[in-house]
């Protein structure tokens, strides 16, 4: 399985500001995913990020609010823009296994917006 | 109807007992099925994957799949307090761009 790191691990941000979350993988992967997990809830997919193409966003998530970069096969960023308290959540990146549909998750970024 | 349904629990079992976790899904063309364990404050960790009907065993864990009934289960034998976590069932149509759908999870408590 891939080793995935995320930065920052947590942050407290003010309303109206933006935060960029970084996801680094120790091997080259095609598919990377960004999820949000609110307290006590399951995972909600924000978008799928493939290297060399635009990210694909799920219903309810838009590029202006959650711009994603995928500059190479080991790195991606998710920006949470113009934040509001409703954006307080854990943000997780994951990668798809090269041998199947299994996904492996980074440690997550805990975001609190005040 | 939710795409992947799980009993939210909590499911409480005594140490040493068998914990049985169940999941149903709605997409009949699903091909890949997973169980993830998530400790409080941690990210999900893959513990089992199953692709064919029947049972798949890995240590104390057994995953069971019945595609005709659209049903997946996870059995944990000799449950330990360290198994206390939320278990997420996940379903996918396969690799290469298909979305994985996660259930809401079942909270398991193993009492010492």
């Amino acid at each position: 399985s891939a080793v995935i790191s995320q930065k920052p691990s947590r942050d407290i941000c003010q309303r109206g500001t933006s935060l960029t979350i970084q996801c680094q993988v120790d091997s080259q992967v095609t598919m990377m995913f960004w999820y949000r997990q609110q307290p006590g809830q399951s995972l909600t997919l924000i978008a799928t990020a493939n290297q060399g193409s635009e990210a694909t966003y799920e219903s309810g998530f838009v590029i202006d609010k959650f711009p994603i970069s995928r500059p190479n096969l080991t790195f991606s960023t998710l920006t949470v823009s113009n934040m509001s308290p409703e954006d307080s959540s854990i943000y997780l990146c994951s990668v798809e296994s090269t041998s199947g549909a299994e996904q492996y998750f980074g440690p997550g970024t805990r975001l609190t917006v005040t | 109807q939710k795409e992947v349904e799980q009993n939210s629990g909590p499911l409480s079992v005594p140490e040493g007992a068998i914990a049985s976790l169940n999941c149903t899904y709605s997409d009949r063309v699903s091909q890949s099925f997973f169980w993830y364990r998530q400790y409080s404050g941690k990210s999900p960790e893959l513990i089992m994957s199953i692709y064919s009907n029947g049972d798949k065993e890995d240590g104390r864990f057994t995953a069971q799949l019945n595609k005709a009934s659209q049903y997946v289960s996870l059995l944990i034998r000799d449950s330990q307090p360290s198994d206390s976590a939320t278990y997420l069932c996940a379903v996918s149509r396969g690799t290469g761009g298909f979305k994985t759908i996660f259930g809401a999870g079942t909270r398991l408590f193993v009492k010492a």
Side-chain angles (χ1 to χ4, degrees):
Chain A
S1 63
V3 176
I4 306 166
S5 60
Q6 282 186 239
K7 291 181 183 178
S9 58
R10 59 178 62 228
D11 208 342
I12 300 173
C13 301
Q14 289 193 337
R15 180 195 301 260
T17 63
S18 298
L19 177 72
T20 295
I21 302 168
Q22 299 179 7
C23 180
Q24 179 76 53
V25 190
D26 69 341
S27 57
Q28 294 184 337
V29 294
T30 302
M31 306 286 290
M32 294 183 75
F33 307 89
W34 287 98
Y35 290 86
R36 182 170 73 182
Q37 187 174 34
Q38 296 182 312
Q41 304 296 314
S42 190
L43 303 168
T44 300
L45 181 64
I46 297 171
T48 301
N50 289 339
Q51 193 269 333
S53 62
E54 295 291 324
T56 302
Y57 289 83
E58 296 299 308
S59 176
F61 297 96
V62 295
I63 187 170
D64 290 346
K65 174 69 175 177
F66 297 100
I68 287 171
S69 77
R70 182 78 202 274
N72 56 52
L73 290 172
T74 63
F75 187 78
S76 179
T77 66
L78 170 75
T79 298
V80 186
S81 304
N82 188 24
M83 288 184 285
S84 67
E86 292 71 33
D87 294 319
S88 297
S89 189
I90 297 172
Y91 291 84
L92 294 152
C93 71
S94 75
V95 303
E96 187 176 82
S97 164
T98 55
S99 59
E102 298 92 346
Q103 289 188 28
Y104 299 97
F105 288 85
T109 295
R110 183 180 295 272
L111 171 63
T112 302
V113 183
T114 61
Chain B
Q1 180 188 10
K2 293 181 181 177
E3 293 178 87
V4 178
E5 294 210 53
Q6 297 181 253
N7 187 322
S8 63
L11 172 66
S12 184
V13 301
E15 184 175 359
I18 295 175
S20 178
L21 306 166
N22 304 314
C23 171
T24 58
Y25 61 94
S26 61
D27 185 353
R28 287 194 169 274
V29 298
S30 298
Q31 298 294 323
S32 307
F33 307 87
F34 311 99
W35 285 98
Y36 289 82
R37 177 176 62 198
Q38 187 172 26
Y39 292 114
S40 180
K42 301 295 185 181
S43 60
E45 172 193 11
L46 179 69
I47 55 172
M48 289 289 287
S49 58
I50 186 167
Y51 302 96
S52 304
N53 280 329
D55 295 359
K56 179 182 178 182
E57 186 175 317
D58 184 0
R60 295 187 296 113
F61 298 100
T62 298
Q64 299 175 317
L65 173 62
N66 184 326
K67 290 185 180 179
S69 300
Q70 296 174 240
Y71 177 87
V72 193
S73 67
L74 179 71
L75 300 178
I76 306 175
R77 290 182 300 281
D78 188 23
S79 295
Q80 301 297 310
S82 58
D83 294 325
S84 299
T86 296
Y87 289 80
L88 304 174
C89 174
V91 175
S92 171
R93 288 189 173 186
T95 62
F98 290 109
K99 190 169 69 170
T100 297
I101 309 298
F102 287 82
T106 298
R107 292 172 61 199
L108 172 66
F109 290 109
V110 181
K111 298 174 293 186

